[in-house]
Amino acid sequence: MKLMVTGGAGFIGSNFIYYELKHHPEDTILCLDKLTYAGNLSTLEPAMKNSNFQFIRGDIADREFVNALFQKEKPDLVINFAAESHVDRSIEDPGIFLQTNILGTGVLMDACRTYGIKRYHQVSTDEVYGDLPLDRPDLFFTEETKLHTSSPYSASKASADLLVLAYYRTFHLPVSITRCSNNYGPYHFPEKLIPLMISRALADEPLPVYGKGENVRDWLYVEDHCAAIDLVIRKGREGEIYNIGGHNERTNLEVVKTILKELKKPESLITYVTDRPGHDMRYAIDPEKIHKELGWLPQTKFEDGIRLTIKWYLEHRQWWENILSGEYKNYFNTMYGKRLHQ
Ligand code: NAD
Ligand code: DAU
């Protein structure tokens, strides 16, 4: 089978490409990525040596380009990871989130309708459900939880999900959707909580914790997410949504303190900064459906996953130091300049 993986030069997409090359050597993979600030071709260097892998640079929202690519390549499965993915950036400038996350999804699905497809899979997020209160640990997001978005990012992802379901009902496009909780692991862009804190702690720089650090996220090691998507695209039912998460809830402060302890750095590096506007309190996934239907269960406990992740960042300094020394430097100064000095 030929898989088209969009957004494969980013964090989860690249991990998924390596998962597929390892577990399905009979398949071929075509990665389509625009290489935005979040896409990194060096991440895919080992894959480039594999004759079953091909990289194409392009924009999923460019209809003419996408149609020509589908006509030439005729993929069997399309797995759409391509997105603007950072909540804080969506608060600064929502426009590109609508363009890529909503329009891009529509363009890809139109090409699927025109050229035929076995499955279009949308990689979505638990953020489409909004948040849960801290004082109700008994509550979890199920696939039936109503959509209730907080940020332009989550609203754009929820819009895309609705479009995917509409294409299933109206055009009978064979689709599936997964909604996953927070991932962590190798190749995570250092603007996100865990890699940001690891890189800054290693440099003995202040660690900017939003608000009081009480917000809770349900952390999943990225390889477990890849295994779940692999199951859904091959064995999951068409037209279905599957939630993915690992019952690994931690407050942000717990996560940051764990990183500091592992790196033997002092807690005095923690700096409380202005909160994110509209900041979601707690995410927590009920993964019962994917467990019952497809037998998926997370394999990596947070304590093990965070150690593996820290080890990876220590062993791949060049990868993230290149990012930190480039255009990202301006982003950090602009975004955190006002936060750190309040
Ligand atoms: P990322 O920001 O690390 O990577 C996104 C990739 O998409 C980059 O390689 C970028 O170049 C590419 N891209 C952006 N716009 C594009 C366009 N118009 N055309 C083609 N390529 C484009 O993101 P990630 O964290 O790997 O997330 C991947 C997907 O998983 C996203 O759809 C995100 O919403 C979803 N998701 C992420 C998480 C998480 O914790 N990171 C959790 C659940 C769901
Ligand atoms: O839940 C899935 C989502 O997880 C994905 O859909 C998103 O693409 C992904 O970016 C992630 O969103 P979050 O907003 O939860 O991730 P982020 O790493 O930006 O922040 C995690 C928590 O840490 C959040 O409560 C905000 C807080 N935070 C973040 C940063 C960057 C800080 O306290 N300080 C920071 O500097």
Side-chain angles (χ1 to χ4, degrees):
M1 275 205 296
K2 187 185 271 189
L3 278 64
M4 179 185 280
V5 177
T6 66
F11 167 43
I12 310 175
S14 59
N15 277 281
F16 181 76
I17 287 169
Y18 288 119
Y19 186 93
E20 292 299 304
L21 289 174
K22 184 173 164 195
H23 291 89
H24 299 282
E26 70 285 4
D27 290 340
T28 57
I29 298 182
L30 174 69
C31 170
L32 165 61
D33 198 296
K34 187 180 172 185
L35 296 181
T36 66
Y37 79 94
N40 197 332
L41 214 43
S42 76
T43 301
L44 292 174
E45 254 167 40
M48 299 286 192
K49 294 182 192 126
N50 191 316
S51 55
N52 281 351
F53 177 79
Q54 193 192 347
F55 178 83
I56 308 265
R57 185 171 192 180
D59 185 343
I60 60 163
D62 180 342
R63 195 173 287 277
E64 216 174 301
F65 166 79
V66 167
N67 282 340
L69 186 63
F70 270 70
Q71 187 173 31
K72 178 163 177 265
E73 299 290 344
K74 303 216 167 44
D76 298 297
L77 306 179
V78 173
I79 303 104
N80 183 24
F81 291 89
E84 287 295 330
S85 70
H86 193 35
V87 173
D88 292 322
R89 288 185 190 250
S90 83
I91 294 166
E92 286 296 300
D93 187 7
I96 187 69
F97 286 73
L98 313 189
Q99 172 79 9
T100 290
N101 299 2
I102 309 174
L103 190 72
T105 298
V107 167
L108 281 175
M109 288 195 298
D110 283 338
C112 291
R113 288 173 58 209
T114 306
Y115 297 100
I117 197 84
K118 290 198 174 82
R119 177 67 65 87
Y120 172 86
H121 182 75
Q122 179 73 359
V123 181
S124 187
T125 167
D126 60 357
E127 296 203 16
V128 299
Y129 301 121
D131 62 354
L132 297 164
L134 288 184
D135 60 357
R136 290 293 306 274
D138 56 313
L139 295 181
F140 296 91
F141 298 136
T142 73
E143 289 78 3
E144 275 71 50
T145 302
K146 79 172 165 99
L147 302 183
H148 187 72
T149 54
S150 309
S151 68
Y153 163 70
S154 57
S156 70
K157 293 296 288 185
S159 306
D161 283 11
L162 292 175
L163 202 56
V164 172
L165 295 173
Y167 272 54
Y168 174 67
R169 173 154 174 162
T170 302
F171 304 122
H172 311 293
L173 190 72
V175 303
S176 47
I177 297 176
T178 45
R179 292 178 178 155
C180 190
S181 59
N182 286 63
N183 284 217
Y184 67 105
Y187 301 118
H188 203 179
F189 194 85
E191 69 185 346
K192 305 285 172 64
L193 181 76
I194 289 182
L196 179 86
M197 297 301 167
I198 295 173
S199 59
R200 290 186 67 82
L202 284 171
D204 296 306
E205 285 170 339
L207 308 188
V209 170
Y210 297 169
K212 295 183 191 150
E214 288 175 327
N215 307 64
V216 171
R217 297 293 183 263
D218 181 2
W219 293 98
L220 186 72
Y221 194 60
V222 62
E223 201 179 336
D224 283 326
H225 186 186
C226 296
I229 294 173
D230 181 61
L231 274 174
V232 171
I233 59 175
R234 292 167 195 276
K235 297 186 181 149
R237 287 183 293 142
E238 282 176 17
E240 291 293 317
I241 298 166
Y242 294 90
N243 281 356
I244 307 172
H247 289 301
N248 267 315
E249 289 180 53
R250 298 283 185 290
T251 67
N252 293 338
L253 207 51
E254 283 168 342
V255 170
V256 173
K257 284 184 178 175
T258 304
I259 292 169
L260 287 171
K261 197 166 162 214
E262 288 293 327
L263 291 174
K264 298 188 176 45
K265 297 285 183 180
E267 288 189 6
S268 56
L269 286 177
I270 293 173
T271 308
Y272 295 95
V273 302
T274 313
D275 210 350
R276 171 186 283 174
H279 198 172
D280 282 334
M281 249 7 256
R282 171 178 171 245
Y283 302 147
I285 283 279
D286 176 357
E288 197 54 23
K289 178 173 173 180
I290 190 169
H291 173 54
K292 274 203 177 136
E293 275 190 29
L294 303 174
W296 179 85
L297 274 179
Q299 301 299 314
T300 313
K301 284 193 291 195
F302 185 74
E303 291 68 25
D304 299 330
I306 196 75
R307 268 188 216 118
L308 283 173
T309 304
I310 290 173
K311 185 166 178 283
W312 189 88
Y313 278 84
L314 286 170
E315 288 170 358
H316 295 81
R317 270 179 174 271
Q318 187 95 55
W319 183 86
W320 54 269
E321 280 177 357
N322 281 349
I323 294 170
L324 295 185
S325 62
E327 179 202 332
Y328 176 76
K329 213 173 182 171
N330 299 329
Y331 164 85
F332 188 88
N333 292 338
T334 314
M335 290 291 271
Y336 288 82
K338 36 190 184 198
R339 278 196 159 118
L340 281 166
H341 297 111
Q342 276 175 7

